Amino acid sequence: MSVRAAAGFALLGLLAASAQAAPAPAEGGGAVLAAACAGKDGWNDPAPPARIFGNVYYVGTCGIAALLVASPRGHILIDGATREAAPLVAANIRRLGFDPAAVRILLNSHAHADHAGGLAALKRLTGGRLVARAEAKTVLESGATDPADPQAGTIPDFPGVAVDRIVADGKAVRLGPLALTAVATPGHTAGGTSWRWRSCEQGTCRTLVYADSLTAVGPDSYRFRDHPALVAAFRSSFRRIAALPCDILVTPHPGASNLFERLAGRAPLADRGACAAYAAAAGRRLDERLAREASR
Ligand SMILES: [Zn+2]
């Protein structure tokens, strides 16, 4: 092959790669997503996909986030929504012009049915490998709620999914140009994990944080005040999220970070105080819960 032909092929490869990384958005983006989900936050309410920023796309439902972080060397999918919504997530990946089979890695925020229930089906469909923190492995693989989880017995189990690789707190999951760092945020579940990474759009680079649920939820019969180690884990997670570099916050329940309004342009997408505010609000709710328990 001549040098020129080789260069031509390289250029074609580059064009194909950039097309794969950032397809022309066939879908209408954030405003269409916000309109489609107005008044809806059901776990399985179908939502159109939308670009969030750069190579990061919303592929979840109206009530449950799933994110595709795309690259020419394959994609990373964060969260699988519910078992019922897994086909919607796959369809959204296709609607954006991406091939689900190019998803090489699956990640999770926390191992509850609404965020991990679709992972088994999406893993089969994509052929990707599931990477998780060691503390999440048992529940992800069994699909059965941890008996120590405050919500044990009140939330459904989900299809178990094999964990292929463990990532330690503070370490990055890498794929081609992608590097997503695991941030241990236990509390809501023991294996709860937030993810942070950099993405760029038209020369502007931002730190994105997919901050896990920080809510202290449990039936009235559960008393957080009887579980000081769990309360300490929550408080440590609040501090970690508050201290993260954080330009764009996304949360597993999109409403918890006002995501659709921000994608529709009705609130700023980037807000450096968003992670700190999210953590502070969770801290206030935990304090209120502890105060209620103390007054019973
Ligand atoms: Zn949960």
Side-chain angles (χ1 to χ4, degrees), residues 43 109-115 149 151 155 188-189 212-213 215 217 252-253:
W43 288 0
S109 54
H110 69 270
H112 280 161
D114 44 347
H115 312 287
D149 188 319
Q151 294 185 78
I155 52 172
H188 185 79
T189 65
D212 190 19
S213 299
T215 44
V217 192
H253 293 273

Side-chain angles (χ1 to χ4, degrees), residues 57-71:
Y57 300 85
Y58 190 90
V59 291
T61 65
C62 288
I64 302 291
L67 301 186
L68 188 78
V69 186
S71 98

Side-chain angles (χ1 to χ4, degrees), residues 2 4 21 28 72 76 102 180 216 231 235-236 251 257 285:
S2 74
R4 256 173 78 185
I76 294 180
L180 278 64
V231 170
R235 298 215 187 276
S236 153
T251 49
S257 50
R285 283 197 305 275

Side-chain angles (χ1 to χ4, degrees), residues 53 55-56 69 177-181 196-200 204-209 245-247 272:
F53 182 81
N55 60 337
V56 183
V69 186
L178 307 179
L180 278 64
T181 300
R196 78 177 166 88
W197 67 96
R198 297 277 286 172
S199 284
C200 303
T204 301
C205 297
R206 304 271 200 202
T207 298
L208 283 90
V209 174
C246 173
D247 297 319
R272 290 205 166 157

